[in-house]
């Protein structure tokens, strides 16, 4: 299975993510993981969030083990970095 192109987080089931999940996100590592963090699933469960190459096959066993029982949301990394531009192009200060 390929990673999702875009993840849409749901309303969190609790105001703050579990400390244990935050610790997992801080220490998570795998050669295919580009970024790691915390998000919620579509139904509001706190989850480990990782970006991986668009052609990666997911789930990745080492990430699932490191997730310590939390769900894992895999998202495909963008082909190029997002370019930030001015908020109001053409408008002078």
């Amino acid at each position: 299975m390929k990673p999702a192109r875009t993840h849409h987080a749901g309303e969190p089931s609790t105001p703050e993510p579990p400390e244990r999940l935050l610790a997992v996100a801080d220490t998570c590592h795998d050669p295919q993981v580009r970024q790691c963090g915390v998000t919620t699933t579509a139904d509001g469960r706190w989850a480990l969030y990782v970006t991986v190459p668009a052609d990666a096959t997911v789930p990745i066993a080492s990430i699932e083990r490191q997730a310590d029982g939390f769900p894992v949301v895999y998202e495909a990394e963008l082909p190029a970095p997002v370019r930030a531009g001015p908020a109001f192009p053409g408008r002078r200060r």
Side-chain angles (χ1 to χ4, degrees):
M1 178 168 69
K2 298 298 177 206
R5 292 188 73 204
T6 304
H7 168 65
H8 299 284
E11 186 71 31
S13 56
T14 60
E16 297 294 323
E19 288 295 323
R20 192 173 60 129
L21 177 58
L22 294 173
V24 168
D26 285 343
T27 60
C28 181
H29 62 282
D30 183 275
Q32 294 190 77
V33 172
R34 304 298 187 250
Q35 292 180 314
C36 189
V38 174
T39 189
T40 57
T41 59
D43 63 358
R45 293 176 296 146
W46 287 104
L48 181 65
Y49 169 85
V50 294
T51 58
V52 296
D55 62 351
T57 300
V58 298
I60 299 170
S62 71
I63 298 301
E64 297 292 325
R65 282 192 300 275
Q66 292 175 64
D68 197 26
F70 288 102
V72 180
V73 172
Y74 294 93
E75 187 173 76
E77 72 177 333
L78 297 173
V82 175
R83 182 183 169 278
F88 301 99
R91 189 166 128 184
R92 300 183 78 144
R93 288 187 191 191

